[in-house]
Amino acid sequence: MSTTTELAELHDLIGGVRRCVSTLKARYGDSPAVRRIVIDADRLLGDVELLDADVSEFDLARVTLPQSSEKIAIPDTDYDRDFWRDVDQEGVGGHNRS
């Protein structure tokens, strides 16, 4: 299924949700619970419209990540103690400083 088809289906489904919400609003009035549902349905529609506008930027089918075959060797030997001079322990801070 293409992205365009999925977005069109989302628009249709959200349209159905908004119609149901309108029916609930007519039945139960403008209560806080109904207002929250109306706001959520409107937010979903807005989010899908934003995604629809940005879909060209998200064309994931064309995105390819460069593959690097270069491996970096990390030695198992200990580092020289001078390497760690004046370095704070993470989470402890500069407790050795005067």
Side-chain angles (χ1 to χ4, degrees):
M1 184 181 294
S2 73
T3 303
T4 306
T5 305
E6 291 165 342
L7 289 172
E9 184 179 356
L10 272 174
H11 279 285
D12 291 342
L13 292 170
I14 292 171
V17 168
R18 293 181 78 191
R19 285 188 294 279
C20 290
V21 169
S22 295
T23 303
L24 288 172
K25 189 173 181 179
R27 180 179 293 167
Y28 297 110
D30 195 31
S31 69
V34 172
R35 279 194 302 256
R36 284 193 301 268
I37 294 171
V38 168
I39 290 169
D40 289 344
D42 289 342
R43 183 187 50 79
L44 279 172
L45 179 61
D47 289 345
V48 171
E49 287 173 350
L50 286 173
L51 178 63
D52 202 4
D54 293 340
V55 77
S56 62
E57 293 177 26
F58 295 133
D59 192 3
L60 299 179
R62 296 184 196 172
V63 173
T64 56
L65 298 175
Q67 297 289 329
S68 175
S69 60
E70 179 184 355
K71 295 188 179 188
I72 300 171
I74 300 174
D76 289 335
T77 58
D78 289 335
Y79 288 103
D80 184 13
R81 292 186 66 76
D82 289 337
F83 179 80
W84 299 109
R85 185 181 305 150
D86 298 327
V87 175
D88 294 334
Q89 290 183 350
E90 186 175 319
V92 178
H95 66 281
N96 292 330
R97 297 183 189 221
S98 35

